[in-house]
């Protein structure tokens, strides 16, 4: 693969992840963290960038995204991918991206109710671009992403030259533990599960350049993940700086979108509002293209549904659902994503530490991974109920006392790690026992001869 192609795929990967949510998360956190914003952003990067990058690297090592769940029972494998791609697709993330694009990109300049017309046109544009997956690198990696980076750079350079405020005192949460709370916020971007979906697109894009060898796919995926990590880290740092220096222009803001809107207007006036609207529209568009492509690739490879049909159905559903109330969509779909994210991360952990799937170990690996998924689902459900505020106060206190990392919404982590370690020890013990038994049998056979 040529360096230019590699860079373009890396840029494309960055753009796929960079949705409007990624732009508005760090400014809000940095404003609350105040003088501790850099420390908080450091923790944020560990989970918001580190987990997705690790996921991409593992998927590259497998050379195919569907191998992540290949050792699971067939029903569990199919259910996992269906839920992941449905919630990241037409059931939640795609309609949210369309709605956010309208709210931040169009509504400030249009006071009528144009969501229906916008959602149809936006989904149609997404469909047209997604129907040419072989050209994703050309129009996202080589055109849209450089333009997006240039616009973000313009806003950030203006903020560096003319900051509109200075970091204030951190609030109580970020004064006590800025790194830990930054890590929690980074985890809550849920980009780790998005990386599982985008793995379909990225690996297929690498293959489309003529790379067929599994080792080469692993190597280039590692390089792509590195490019993504650098670009996304710089973006988060830039957005964090805007939030940290927004005390004068946007005090006591309720969300990061408000901070960015006021900052852009404060730096450039009306041009700043147009600039931010364009950034938002482009960021949402690259995300919707990537998720539509991921869904299409899955249904084509798994169920032999033609890409054109699946992509058209997905975009039609997205256009429809975008107009039926985003609050309801979030209320119904968010629990599923909050549960699926621990499962996805647990599978990545299992792939890293568990043995590779080979013929005589498939059943053992399947049992271990199935157990890991069950445990991640159980404790992930508890964490999801906690985040959604559905646990009674009396039970909440007990869980906080007895479940490690419950307060960090990661009570699933230690049980999963313990299961992985125990499974690994059992596997190593059994292999050594098998080796000893085979050696003994060979010696016994030799003596009989």
């Amino acid at each position: 693969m040529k360096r230019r192609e590699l860079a373009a795929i890396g840029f494309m990967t960055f753009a796929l992840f960079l949705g409007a949510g990624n732009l508005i998360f760090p400014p809000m956190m940095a404003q609350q963290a105040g003088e501790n914003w850099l420390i908080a952003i450091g923790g944020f990067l560990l989970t918001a960038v580190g987990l997705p990058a690790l996921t991409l690297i593992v998927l590259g090592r497998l050379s195919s995204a569907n191998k992540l769940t290949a050792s699971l029972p067939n029903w569990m494998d199919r259910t996992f991918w269906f839920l992941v791609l449905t919630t990241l697709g037409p059931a939640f993330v795609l309609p949210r991206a369309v709605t956010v694009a309208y709210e931040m990109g169009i509504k400030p300049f249009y006071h009528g109710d144009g969501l229906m017309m916008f959602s149809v046109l936006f989904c149609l544009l997404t469909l047209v671009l997604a129907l040419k997956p072989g050209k994703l690198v050309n129009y996202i990696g080589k055109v849209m992403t450089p333009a997006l980076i240039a616009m973000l750079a313009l806003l950030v350079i203006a903020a560096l030259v003319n900051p509109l405020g200075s970091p204030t005192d951190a609030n109580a949460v970020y004064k006590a533990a800025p790194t830990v709370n930054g890590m929690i916020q980074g985890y809550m971007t849920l980009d780790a599960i998005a990386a599982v979906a985008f793995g379909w697109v990225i690996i297929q894009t690498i293959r489309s350049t003529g790379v067929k060898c599994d080792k080469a796919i692993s190597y280039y995926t590692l390089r792509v993940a590195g490019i993504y990590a650098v670009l996304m880290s710089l973006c988060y740092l830039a957005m964090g700086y805007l939030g940290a220096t927004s005390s004068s222009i946007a005090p006591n803001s309720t969300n990061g979108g408000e901070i960015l809107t006021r900052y852009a207007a404060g730096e450039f006036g009306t041009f700043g509002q147009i600039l931010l609207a364009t950034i938002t529209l482009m960021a949402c568009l690259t995300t919707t293209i990537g998720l539509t492509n991921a869904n299409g690739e899955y249904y084509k490879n798994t169920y032999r549904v033609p890409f054109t049909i699946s992509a058209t159905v997905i975009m039609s559903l997205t256009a429809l659902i975008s107009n039926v109330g985003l609050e309801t969509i979030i209320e119904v779909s968010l629990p599923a994503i909050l549960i699926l994210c621990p499962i996805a991360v647990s599978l990545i952990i299992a792939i890293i530490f568990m043995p590779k799937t080979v013929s005589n170990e498939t059943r053992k690996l399947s049992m271990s991974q199935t157990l890991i998924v069950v445990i991640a689902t159980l404790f992930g459900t508890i964490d999801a109920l906690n985040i959604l505020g559905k646990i009674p106060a009396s039970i909440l206190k007990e869980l906080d006392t007895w479940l490690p990392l419950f307060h960090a919404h990661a009570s699933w982590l230690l049980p999963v790690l313990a299961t992985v370690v125990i499974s690994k020890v059992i596997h190593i013990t059994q292999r050594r026992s098998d080796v000893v038994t085979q050696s003994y049998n060979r010696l016994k056979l030799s003596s009989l001869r």
Side-chain angles (χ1 to χ4, degrees):
M1 185 188 300
K2 297 178 181 179
R3 289 185 179 181
R4 183 177 296 180
E5 290 177 323
L6 179 63
I9 296 174
F11 276 29
M12 181 196 75
T13 302
F14 164 71
L16 294 180
F17 279 95
L18 187 64
N22 302 86
L23 292 174
I24 64 179
F25 244 106
M28 190 72 245
M29 183 187 71
Q31 188 184 74
Q32 294 175 345
E35 59 190 0
N36 292 333
W37 77 273
L38 263 178
I39 302 174
I41 284 288
F44 184 87
L45 295 180
L46 287 175
T47 48
V49 178
L51 283 178
L54 179 63
T55 300
L56 293 179
I57 292 169
V58 170
L59 293 178
R61 172 186 161 193
L62 295 174
S63 74
S64 176
N66 62 345
K67 288 184 181 179
L68 179 66
T69 54
S71 296
L72 294 176
N74 189 57
W75 70 268
M76 190 177 286
D77 173 19
R78 296 291 178 90
T79 301
F80 171 79
W81 284 112
F82 176 78
L83 290 176
V84 165
L85 291 166
T86 300
T87 51
L88 288 177
F92 178 52
V93 175
L94 281 176
R96 184 186 68 174
V98 173
T99 306
V100 169
Y102 175 76
E103 292 290 334
M104 293 184 65
I106 302 298
K107 198 171 182 179
F109 309 99
Y110 178 74
H111 300 292
D113 185 9
L115 177 58
M116 181 176 293
M117 180 60 69
F118 173 81
S119 62
V120 171
L121 293 175
F122 194 85
C123 289
L124 184 60
L125 177 59
T126 297
L127 180 61
V128 169
L129 296 176
L131 286 178
K132 299 178 180 179
K135 295 186 178 181
L136 278 178
V137 175
N138 289 332
Y139 53 70
I140 294 183
K142 295 180 181 179
V143 179
M144 297 174 71
T145 309
L148 185 58
I149 292 173
M151 288 185 288
L152 287 170
L154 180 61
L155 181 59
V156 173
I157 290 171
L160 290 170
V161 174
N162 180 39
L164 301 180
S166 57
T168 57
D169 291 336
N171 65 15
V173 171
Y174 286 99
K175 187 173 289 186
T179 303
V180 172
N181 284 286
M183 291 176 66
I184 294 172
Q185 291 300 314
Y187 172 72
M188 289 304 297
T189 64
L190 303 177
D191 271 357
I193 193 170
V196 171
F198 287 142
W200 289 87
V201 180
I202 295 161
I203 292 174
Q204 182 61 32
T205 303
I206 292 173
R207 288 184 184 277
S208 70
T209 64
V211 178
K212 303 300 180 184
C213 173
D214 287 351
K215 287 186 177 180
I217 291 173
S218 177
Y219 170 76
Y220 286 119
T221 306
L222 176 63
R223 299 282 296 275
V224 167
I227 295 171
Y228 150 77
V230 170
L231 291 175
M232 190 61 81
S233 296
L234 290 174
C235 178
Y236 282 145
L237 283 167
M239 294 302 102
Y241 176 77
L242 293 180
T245 57
S246 66
S247 56
S248 299
I249 195 72
N252 303 314
S253 296
T254 57
N255 60 75
E258 183 181 349
I259 293 173
L260 291 181
T261 300
R262 293 189 183 183
Y263 216 109
E267 291 287 3
F268 299 110
T270 303
F271 172 73
Q273 293 178 303
I274 297 173
L275 177 67
L276 183 61
T278 306
I279 290 172
T280 303
L281 287 168
M282 194 170 291
C284 290
L285 181 61
T286 55
T287 298
T288 57
I289 293 170
L291 288 174
T292 303
N293 194 273
N295 274 269
E297 286 291 337
Y298 171 72
Y299 288 112
K300 182 180 74 174
N301 294 334
T302 305
Y303 298 103
R304 307 303 178 196
V305 178
F307 187 94
T308 302
I309 293 176
S310 58
T312 302
V313 170
I314 289 161
M315 279 294 95
S316 299
L317 289 172
T318 299
L320 177 65
I321 294 172
S322 298
N323 290 275
V324 299
L326 190 59
E327 292 78 10
T328 303
I329 300 169
I330 292 175
E331 185 178 349
V332 172
S333 302
L334 188 57
I337 290 185
L338 292 173
I339 296 170
L340 286 168
C341 193
I343 297 173
V345 177
S346 298
L347 286 170
I348 294 297
I349 293 172
I351 290 295
I352 293 173
F353 293 104
M354 295 299 291
K356 293 183 178 180
T357 305
V358 293
S359 57
N360 63 337
E361 293 174 339
T362 302
R363 186 176 178 182
K364 296 175 185 177
L365 182 58
S366 176
M367 292 175 62
S368 298
Q369 285 198 331
T370 301
L371 180 60
I372 288 167
V373 169
V374 169
I375 290 174
T377 303
L378 174 62
F379 287 93
T381 301
I382 295 173
D383 287 329
L385 292 173
N386 179 29
I387 294 168
L388 297 169
K390 301 296 184 181
I391 299 179
S394 57
I395 299 177
L396 196 66
K397 185 176 181 181
E398 292 298 319
L399 290 173
D400 196 31
T401 302
W402 295 104
L403 271 184
L405 301 179
F406 177 74
H407 65 284
H409 311 307
S411 63
W412 58 270
L413 182 57
L414 291 182
V416 165
L417 289 176
T419 305
V420 169
V421 170
I422 292 171
S423 299
K424 183 71 173 178
V425 169
I426 291 173
H427 170 74
I428 292 173
T429 303
Q430 288 178 337
R431 288 196 66 178
R432 289 179 177 176
S433 176
D434 291 342
V435 170
V436 171
T437 301
Q438 290 172 5
S439 299
Y440 173 76
N441 289 336
R442 282 197 295 269
L443 288 172
K444 186 177 181 181
L445 184 60
S446 298
S447 62
L448 290 175
R449 289 176 180 174

